[in-house]
Amino acid sequence: MSLFLGTIENKVDAKGRVSVPADFRMAVKNDDFQGVILFHSFTNKCIEGCTMSRMEQISEATDNLDLFSEQTESLSSLIFSDARQLSFDVTGRIVIPSDLLEFAGIDGNALFVGRGKTFQIWNADEFKKVQEEVRANAVRNRPSLSFKKD
């Protein structure tokens, strides 16, 4: 699986069509489904995106939860029932449903933000505000990474 990296701004037309950045399309090239999965973020005012393979991993992870628990019900409702499977057209565009665009406050331009195995689509001004807060918190808290040993 390739990674979604970088931040790219693209124009959204009146019909909700937007070109998915070429690097993001390359991250999907080895996936069986040539497109992306989008859904409302439940942590930010943005659109979450991933590959079908990643969505399958999320589904498998929920299999480890109690089938009838409130947590499982919430996750299933928030992610799977809301997910949109969007194929690329011949030029690498997708049509983002209007309810997703409205939720994220996107009109005119969409900011694609890489997050490794996933990505987000933001209103550029909203992302700038959130990113400034995240950066300030990171400087204060100095998070560290632990690498798995092979």
Side-chain angles (χ1 to χ4, degrees), residues 94-149:
I94 57 172
V95 178
I96 301 177
S98 60
D99 65 306
L100 291 176
L101 292 171
E102 186 178 316
F103 171 79
I106 297 170
D107 64 350
N109 289 320
L111 193 67
F112 287 79
V113 178
R115 296 181 51 89
K117 294 181 180 181
T118 65
F119 65 95
Q120 294 175 327
I121 306 174
W122 286 81
N123 167 296
D125 294 334
E126 186 69 24
F127 178 73
K128 183 178 179 183
K129 286 188 267 183
V130 170
Q131 190 70 346
E132 287 172 2
E133 290 175 28
V134 168
R135 193 176 310 278
N137 285 337
V139 168
R140 272 193 307 276
N141 299 323
R142 302 261 185 198
S144 62
L145 294 174
S146 298
F147 291 95
K148 292 180 183 177
K149 294 180 182 173

Side-chain angles (χ1 to χ4, degrees), residues 2-73:
S2 296
L3 300 176
F4 296 101
L5 304 172
T7 302
I8 300 106
E9 189 168 359
N10 283 342
K11 180 154 183 52
V12 179
D13 73 12
K15 295 180 180 178
R17 292 179 298 209
V18 63
S19 179
V20 176
D23 289 348
F24 283 38
R25 291 192 314 268
M26 289 298 292
V28 174
K29 73 177 180 165
N30 293 325
D31 206 72
D32 289 338
F33 172 64
Q34 292 302 295
V36 293
I37 310 300
L38 300 182
F39 53 94
H40 294 86
S41 174
F42 55 92
T43 57
N44 291 293
K45 189 180 173 194
C46 68
I47 302 166
E48 299 287 346
C50 63
T51 63
M52 181 61 79
S53 296
R54 184 64 173 172
M55 188 59 80
E56 289 168 355
Q57 290 174 337
I58 293 169
S59 177
E60 289 170 12
T62 62
D63 285 345
N64 294 324
L65 300 173
D66 180 27
L67 180 61
F68 299 110
S69 74
E70 186 175 334
Q71 184 180 26
T72 303
E73 182 67 26

